[in-house]
């Protein structure tokens, strides 16, 4: 019957789909022991203030060096880690490792004491019991102040149990930890989030930045987001700045910070230290 309609209604039985599901299962299986096997490491991408060229912070980005597959992108495995619950152990490792590295940076360059580390946080991590006291403990163990940490969250976090998430975010804010809304403009957006949630920074998704030089709709959206941020007194970071032209154009908007390949690619820790040394702060 279904066949007579001419459409592949039972798409789940298509051979390509079968391979895909098997691949995901295999990846999930490999992910289980990856932490214990030490297959993860972090890279750090600088966040720069465009008006002063000062370095404000560094975003920690997880990398998985798989013994057979080589590098597996977080775009491929973070979703699986979230579905399987493995994200809790992995994400907690990320926070500890990032704080440990920031501590090393500050020991080497005490003048960078206002540098923050930005860590991506998933909904399940935030929902952990005692998450806030655990974060406090990690900061204390690394001699960091809460203002030296930011969490990046996405709007999807508010889809389930928004009030619980909001409560924990508020506790983090009261502690003094910064909260950024990542990939802004792509998610389950609601202006409510901007004034009900404890958010200090909007990160404009790179899909808007890539095309600003043509001065089309995307540029209008970027300007609108910056105007919105001013209303709600939020900081703005433009993601994915790749060309001098994009940088130039964003410079025209006051108070924008930027992140992207033009300024620096994400760097492994061993490369970050000499990069910081060489960059200095103007
Ligand atoms: P994100 O948090 O939005 O991170 C920005 C992504 O854009 C990173 O991809 C970064 O390498 C890439 N990027 C930075 N500048 C440029 C640029 O100029 N051009 C282009 N084309 N790309 C640029 P990456 O490292 O592959 O991470 C992808 C996503 O995976 C992240 O997006 C984040 O959502 C997630 N992720 C990464 N690390 C973690 C983590 O430790 N925990 C969690 N929960 N998610 C993570
Ligand atoms: Mg991020
Ligand atoms: Mg982002
Ligand atoms: Mg993104």
């Amino acid at each position: 019957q279904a066949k007579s309609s001419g459409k592949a209604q039972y798409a789940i039985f298509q051979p390509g789909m079968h391979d895909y599901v098997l691949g995901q299962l295999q990846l999930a299986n490999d992910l289980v022991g990856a932490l214990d096997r030490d297959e993860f490491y972090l890279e750090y991408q600088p966040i720069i203030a465009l008006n002063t060229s000062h370095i404000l912070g560094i975003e920690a980005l997880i990398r998985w060096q798989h013994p057979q597959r080589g590098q597996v992108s977080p775009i491929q495995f973070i979703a699986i880690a979230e579905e399987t619950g493995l994200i809790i152990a992995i994400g907690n490792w990320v926070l500890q490792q990032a704080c440990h590295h920031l501590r090393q940076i500050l020991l080497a360059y005490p003048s960078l004491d206002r540098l923050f580390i930005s860590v991506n946080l998933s909904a399940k991590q935030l929902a952990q019991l005692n998450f806030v006291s655990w974060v406090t403990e990690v900061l204390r163990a690394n001699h960091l102040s809460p203002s030296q940490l930011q969490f990046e969250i996405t709007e999807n976090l508010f889809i389930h149990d928004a009030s619980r998430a909001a409560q924990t975010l508020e506790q983090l804010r009261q502690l003094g930890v910064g909260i950024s809304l990542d990939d802004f403009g792509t998610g389950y957006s609601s202006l409510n989030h901007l004034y009900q949630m404890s958010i200090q920074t909007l990160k404009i998704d790179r899909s808007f930045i890539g095309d600003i030089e043509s001065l089309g709709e995307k540029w209008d959206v970027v300007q609108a987001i910056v105007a919105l941020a001013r209303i709600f007194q939020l900081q703005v970071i433009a993601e994915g700045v790749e060309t001098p032209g994009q940088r130039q154009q964003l410079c025209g908007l006051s108070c924008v910070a930027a992140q992207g390949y033009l300024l620096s690619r994400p760097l492994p820790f061993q490369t970050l230290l000499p990069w910081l040394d060489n960059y200095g702060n103007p």
Side-chain angles (χ1 to χ4, degrees):
Q1 300 284 67
K3 264 202 171 138
S4 62
S5 76
K7 288 249 159 81
Q9 300 200 352
Y10 298 122
I12 196 164
F13 295 126
Q14 284 181 357
M17 198 71 167
H18 185 244
D19 289 350
Y20 174 79
V21 171
L22 271 186
Q24 295 294 95
L25 282 174
Q26 188 59 53
L27 215 50
N29 200 45
D30 293 355
L31 208 49
V32 172
L35 200 55
D36 289 337
R37 292 189 302 266
D38 245 352
E39 292 169 5
F40 297 115
Y41 64 97
L42 297 182
E43 288 192 335
Y44 297 94
Q45 189 176 37
I47 299 168
I48 310 282
L50 287 180
N51 52 351
T52 61
S53 292
H54 274 78
I55 174 163
L56 302 175
I58 48 178
E59 178 177 3
L61 294 159
I62 194 169
R63 299 291 176 253
W64 182 13
Q65 178 64 39
H66 188 287
Q68 283 86 41
R69 298 169 199 254
Q71 285 283 332
V72 183
S73 162
I75 299 181
Q76 281 178 277
F77 74 80
I78 289 292
I80 300 175
E82 283 172 346
E83 282 160 33
T84 53
L86 290 166
I87 193 65
I88 290 186
I90 295 172
N92 291 356
W93 174 82
V94 170
L95 180 68
Q96 283 176 308
Q97 180 76 354
C99 287
H100 174 72
H101 279 156
L102 182 58
R103 170 69 172 160
Q104 302 308 306
I105 292 168
L106 295 174
L107 287 172
Y109 305 106
S111 67
L112 288 175
D113 62 342
R114 299 188 63 186
L115 191 77
F116 63 80
I117 186 120
S118 205
V119 172
N120 293 283
L121 195 65
S122 81
K124 280 193 179 157
Q125 280 180 277
L126 191 71
Q128 289 174 96
L129 287 174
N130 303 322
F131 181 67
V132 179
S133 49
W134 180 74
V135 171
T136 309
E137 179 49 34
V138 174
L139 288 170
R140 199 201 53 76
N142 289 287
H143 308 272
L144 299 176
S145 78
S147 62
Q148 288 169 310
L149 174 64
Q150 294 206 354
F151 282 123
E152 300 193 6
I153 59 167
T154 63
E155 290 161 301
N156 305 333
L157 200 115
F158 302 120
I159 295 176
H160 307 289
D161 211 348
S163 66
R164 171 99 193 275
Q167 233 174 23
T168 312
L169 290 178
E170 175 58 20
Q171 287 171 5
L172 287 169
R173 193 194 61 82
Q174 294 212 346
L175 180 65
V177 171
I179 309 289
S180 313
L181 199 48
D182 205 352
D183 305 335
F184 187 70
T186 61
Y188 165 76
S189 294
S190 157
L191 292 182
N192 279 330
H193 297 155
L194 298 187
Y195 63 91
Q196 288 178 354
M197 303 298 171
S198 313
I199 290 160
Q200 287 86 51
T201 305
L202 295 182
K203 298 191 75 172
I204 307 177
D205 192 69
R206 79 176 140 81
S207 60
F208 295 100
I209 304 301
D211 194 37
I212 57 174
E213 282 172 279
S214 67
L215 299 176
E217 275 174 10
K218 300 250 168 100
W219 174 236
D220 294 340
V221 170
V222 169
Q223 288 176 294
I225 293 175
V226 171
L228 208 58
R230 206 167 288 140
I231 295 171
F232 292 104
Q233 293 178 297
L234 305 169
Q235 310 282 97
V236 177
I237 300 172
E239 296 191 282
V241 177
E242 292 182 348
T243 69
Q246 289 165 359
R247 178 190 185 146
Q248 194 55 39
Q249 210 165 314
L250 290 165
C251 272
L253 306 170
S254 54
C255 314
V256 170
Q259 192 179 349
Y261 294 167
L262 176 73
L263 301 150
S264 171
R265 294 207 165 237
L267 304 168
F269 184 65
Q270 300 87 308
T271 320
L272 176 70
L273 279 177
W275 188 93
L276 287 169
D277 195 27
N278 182 51
Y279 188 82
N281 246 344

